[in-house]
Amino acid sequence: MKKFQEEKVTVEGKYPLAGTLAIPEGPGPFPAVLLVAGSGTGDRDGNVKAGKFFPNMYKDLAELISGLGFITLRVDKRGAGESGGNFLETGMMDLVDDIESNIAFLEKHPQVSKIVLLGHSEGCTLITAANARRPVDGLIFLSGAAEPTNDALKRQRKLAAEELLNMKGFKGKLVRLLKAEQKIEKQAQKFNDKIMNSSETVVRFQLQKMNAKWFREHFTYNVFEDLKKVTCPSLAITGSKDIQVTPEKVYDLPNYVQGPTESYVIENMDHILKEVSVAASVLNVIKDYKKNENKPLHPELQRIISQWLQQYI
């Protein structure tokens, strides 16, 4: 039985942002946790309807945290789900603007006593930038911390090249003959050059529309400078089976932040916070994620988040 009530809300920013607010039973006030999603067009629950991908990790996180006596707010990002705006035209700093709007919404709510930002994947970068503008009472970094987006993309390309090079049979021989790794990096550099030499919001690359403004702002953003401005308690968690970020980077966080911090790499947890025995393939990542989408959040993740929130917030 739920110990909280959920309601749909609209947060006013440059565009209306659709969200779900959960408030625990009781007189309050309560500390609040704002969930900030990773990249892509997934909705406030972490689901991508167009891709028939329903891991529900943000919904599960919100229910876990609200069950502990915290208000939670999860919001469809600009241009995704039921929120206004155009996703392809949305830059990284536009997303940070929207986080500020969400923080302002919570600050005005009579039941909110403190505010914690929880970011997943790209959300880790976004909450770092948002906190530098509008300091909050706590930060939780999931599946990404102390790592620029460009570095994470390089890691993904490296793993993809390794998978290609290790292919068996004729395909493997062909990949090695064609020097796939060098070609992947050459294409990446060509893409980066086109993005950085353009001032357009959206560009075409290999016939596909790309959100150039978003890439440019990520590539030029210095996450380490804003991490140095963190004075509140922070928690960083990645999984040992996470192929989209460098798991051990979480241990670099104390080198930058000023407040008390805890860092963990959870064994056998992947990027979507599920317990797995084998890491996903970079070349078939969504297909592999779908195999585990119905699993609950990793039990160790649940334990660490619960303990940290009770201790620091």
Side-chain angles (χ1 to χ4, degrees):
M1 185 176 179
K2 291 184 178 180
K3 301 178 182 178
F4 55 89
Q5 295 293 323
E6 288 188 336
E7 61 178 293
K8 289 189 175 182
V9 296
T10 300
V11 176
E12 297 301 331
K14 182 174 182 179
Y15 298 96
L17 304 172
T20 300
L21 183 73
I23 302 179
E25 295 176 355
F30 308 97
V33 178
L34 171 64
L35 280 68
V36 179
S39 59
T41 56
D43 65 17
R44 74 193 79 170
D45 292 333
N47 299 330
V48 185
K49 293 179 183 177
K52 297 181 180 179
F53 180 46
F54 304 99
N56 270 315
M57 64 271 197
Y58 305 144
K59 183 176 187 293
D60 291 345
L61 280 167
E63 290 184 351
L64 167 70
I65 293 167
S66 287
L68 297 170
F70 290 75
I71 289 173
T72 58
L73 174 63
R74 59 190 195 274
V75 179
D76 291 337
K77 69 178 66 172
R78 188 184 301 195
E82 298 175 354
S83 289
N86 184 305
F87 176 77
L88 274 179
E89 295 176 358
T90 301
M92 172 193 159
M93 291 306 168
D94 294 324
L95 296 173
V96 177
D97 291 343
D98 291 343
I99 294 172
E100 281 199 89
S101 297
N102 293 328
I103 293 172
F105 174 88
L106 289 172
E107 286 176 339
K108 294 174 185 175
H109 198 287
Q111 289 285 73
V112 172
S113 59
K114 295 181 179 180
I115 297 174
V116 175
L117 303 183
L118 182 155
H120 173 253
S121 193
E122 182 203 2
C124 295
T125 302
L126 301 179
I127 66 171
T128 302
N131 178 74
R133 294 186 190 176
R134 199 171 188 138
V136 293
D137 300 294
L139 298 174
I140 300 176
F141 303 93
L142 301 183
S143 300
E147 183 174 27
T149 299
N150 211 12
D151 289 357
L153 292 174
K154 286 179 183 176
R155 167 181 163 81
Q156 292 169 32
R157 293 197 300 270
K158 184 174 184 294
L159 290 174
E162 288 174 358
E163 284 186 27
L164 287 168
L165 290 169
N166 288 327
M167 281 183 173
K168 296 180 180 180
F170 176 74
K171 283 185 178 180
K173 289 180 181 179
L174 185 62
V175 163
R176 289 185 284 274
L177 181 66
L178 296 175
K179 298 181 179 179
E181 185 171 7
Q182 292 94 319
K183 289 197 171 185
I184 289 173
E185 278 305 310
K186 188 176 180 180
Q187 279 294 96
Q189 190 57 55
K190 187 177 178 181
F191 172 75
N192 289 357
D193 289 344
K194 181 163 188 175
I195 292 293
M196 297 308 294
N197 292 326
S198 170
S199 60
E200 298 296 321
T201 302
V202 180
V203 300
R204 284 190 178 273
F205 184 76
Q206 296 182 342
L207 303 179
Q208 187 175 355
K209 286 185 177 181
M210 307 296 291
N211 43 350
K213 180 182 179 184
W214 181 88
F215 278 103
R216 265 198 313 274
E217 291 178 350
H218 265 291
F219 289 169
T220 56
Y221 173 64
N222 188 335
V223 68
F224 302 112
E225 286 302 310
D226 279 349
L227 283 173
K228 292 175 184 176
K229 301 172 185 176
V230 175
T231 57
C232 61
S234 59
L235 170 66
I237 307 172
T238 54
S240 67
K241 294 293 193 291
D242 193 330
I243 59 161
Q244 292 186 234
V245 298
T246 310
E248 59 270 20
K249 288 287 186 180
V250 293
Y251 296 127
D252 292 343
L253 195 63
N255 297 329
Y256 299 101
V257 302
Q258 306 301 308
T261 184
E262 294 184 11
S263 300
Y264 300 89
V265 174
I266 295 177
E267 284 300 312
N268 297 324
M269 187 176 80
D270 67 3
H271 192 70
I272 60 170
L273 314 177
K274 312 288 185 173
E275 186 170 16
V276 297
S277 56
V278 179
S281 160
V282 179
L283 301 177
N284 298 289
V285 62
I286 298 300
K287 181 180 178 181
D288 286 349
Y289 284 164
K290 283 184 177 181
K291 295 175 184 176
N292 301 298
E293 65 180 356
N294 293 324
K295 288 185 176 181
L297 297 172
H298 195 293
E300 183 66 4
L301 174 78
Q302 297 186 53
R303 186 192 68 80
I304 293 171
I305 289 177
S306 300
Q307 180 177 299
W308 186 86
L309 283 170
Q310 298 291 0
Q311 180 177 351
Y312 287 99
I313 309 301

